[in-house]
């Protein structure tokens, strides 16, 4: 079995030791750092499948660190935080997080979230084409005109669903139920944020494809 490499960014050393021991008992290799500067340095020289990121860190807030990481990497990010502000969760999604796990939580719940995010990497389905888009479930990627779109897992899952239902209206509830990269427990706002992130990535490349809002219902993917 392949060992999964994780980076744990957590300043609570007691909690970090507990999580590290538990995850390593479950065939995962965990590197632990406390400071954002250490995280950014290690990411320059090592590759990881996933980051577990606390928000209350020395030197830099975790949300800012999440944004910094996302500028150069598509690595999966789970935010782990004792902060109860709903805005933190929404900003986390805006900054590219795949999941948000409020403290306190059990190591088993964290493990379940990690497995949920990573399990699609083992899929062996053939690429599915829809016009200029190619949904490659083997590599968990979407290509447009032969170029890979830089998407987080949640963005990938939403865009895949919309592409498969081109020209059909898809409700926010269906979108929420179709993605397994985070718990849909913050209302429609998190879905709206993820759609906004996808739109920016499409518009930034000036592609002739966009996501329409169907007021009061959800969204519709239209390729022109």
């Amino acid at each position: 079995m392949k060992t999964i490499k994780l980076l744990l960014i957590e300043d609570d050393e007691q909690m970090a030791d507990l999580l590290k021991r538990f995850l390593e008992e479950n065939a995962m290799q965990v590197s632990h750092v406390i400071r954002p500067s250490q995280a950014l340095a290690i990411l320059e020289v090592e590759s990881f499948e996933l980051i577990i990121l606390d928000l209350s860190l020395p030197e830099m807030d975790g949300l800012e660190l999440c944004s910094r990481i996302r500028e150069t990497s598509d690595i999966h990010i789970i935010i782990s935080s004792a902060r109860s502000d709903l805005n933190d969760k929404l900003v986390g999604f805006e900054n590219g997080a795949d999941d948000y796990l409020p403290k306190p939580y059990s190591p088993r719940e964290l493990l379940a979230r990690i497995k949920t995010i990573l399990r699609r990497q083992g899929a062996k389905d053939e690429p599915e084409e829809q016009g200029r888009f190619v949904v490659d479930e083997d590599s968990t990627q979407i290509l447009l005109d032969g170029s890979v779109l830089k998407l987080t897992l949640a963005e990938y899952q939403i865009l895949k669903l919309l592409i498969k239902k081109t020209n059909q209206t898809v409700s926010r509830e269906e979108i929420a139920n179709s993605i397994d990269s985070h718990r849909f427990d913050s209302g429609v706002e998190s879905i709206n944020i993820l759609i906004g992130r996808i739109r920016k990535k499409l518009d930034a490349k000036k592609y002739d494809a966009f996501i329409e809002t169907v007021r009061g219902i959800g969204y519709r993917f239209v390729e022109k």
Side-chain angles (χ1 to χ4, degrees):
M1 178 184 297
K2 177 185 176 182
T3 300
I4 303 299
K5 289 185 63 178
L6 308 179
L7 177 61
L8 173 61
I9 310 171
E10 170 65 66
D11 67 343
D12 184 333
E13 295 197 50
Q14 184 176 359
M15 182 176 186
D17 288 343
L18 173 66
L19 293 177
K20 189 172 188 293
R21 286 198 305 270
F22 178 81
L23 294 173
E24 288 179 343
E25 288 172 357
N26 285 273
M28 298 188 181
Q29 179 181 332
V30 182
S31 296
H32 170 227
V33 297
I34 295 175
R35 298 182 177 278
S37 58
Q38 296 172 314
L40 293 172
I42 198 171
L43 286 169
E44 289 184 356
V45 296
E46 289 191 44
S47 297
F48 298 89
E49 277 76 30
L50 185 143
I51 293 173
I52 304 162
L53 171 61
D54 184 35
L55 291 189
S56 299
L57 296 169
E59 299 180 342
M60 182 190 306
D61 186 80
L63 292 173
E64 181 181 351
L65 178 58
C66 181
S67 181
R68 289 275 300 273
I69 293 171
R70 188 56 75 225
E71 288 175 1
T72 58
S73 174
D74 294 324
I75 188 172
H76 302 307
I77 300 174
I78 295 178
I79 287 179
S80 162
S81 178
R83 289 169 13 189
S84 59
D85 189 350
L86 174 60
N87 187 60
D88 282 341
K89 180 180 293 187
L90 298 178
V91 173
F93 287 139
E94 286 177 336
N95 288 349
D98 293 284
D99 201 351
Y100 191 105
L101 187 58
K103 296 178 180 177
Y105 58 83
S106 71
R108 288 187 179 278
E109 183 176 4
L110 175 61
L111 179 62
R113 299 286 188 102
I114 292 170
K115 288 182 176 179
T116 294
I117 288 177
L118 297 179
R119 70 185 180 190
R120 299 198 67 86
Q121 294 183 356
K124 297 299 180 182
D125 297 335
E126 292 298 317
E128 176 180 337
E129 295 196 33
Q130 283 262 357
R132 296 161 59 190
F133 286 79
V134 176
V135 178
D136 188 345
E137 297 191 55
D138 183 30
S139 61
T140 321
Q141 293 178 332
I142 295 177
L143 292 80
L144 182 49
D145 294 337
S147 297
V148 175
L149 295 171
K150 294 186 179 297
L151 304 170
T152 66
L153 181 60
E155 294 165 358
Y156 161 81
Q157 291 176 327
I158 291 175
L159 185 54
K160 181 182 76 169
L161 172 66
L162 294 175
I163 289 172
K164 286 187 173 183
K165 297 198 171 187
T166 296
N167 296 320
Q168 299 178 42
T169 298
V170 183
S171 69
R172 290 180 177 86
E173 289 75 16
E174 183 177 355
I175 292 172
N177 291 332
S178 71
I179 60 176
D180 55 17
S181 56
H182 74 275
R183 297 279 184 88
F184 185 65
D185 56 1
S186 59
V188 299
E189 290 183 87
S190 58
I191 292 296
N192 293 342
I193 286 171
L194 291 167
I195 290 289
R197 279 167 31 185
I198 296 169
R199 280 172 165 159
K200 287 180 180 179
K201 292 180 179 182
L202 295 177
D203 292 343
K205 297 181 178 298
K206 298 182 180 179
Y207 288 132
D208 297 326
F210 57 92
I211 300 169
E212 295 180 344
T213 299
V214 181
R215 190 175 300 276
I217 301 176
Y219 298 95
R220 178 170 55 239
F221 181 87
V222 180
E223 184 181 347
K224 296 185 176 180

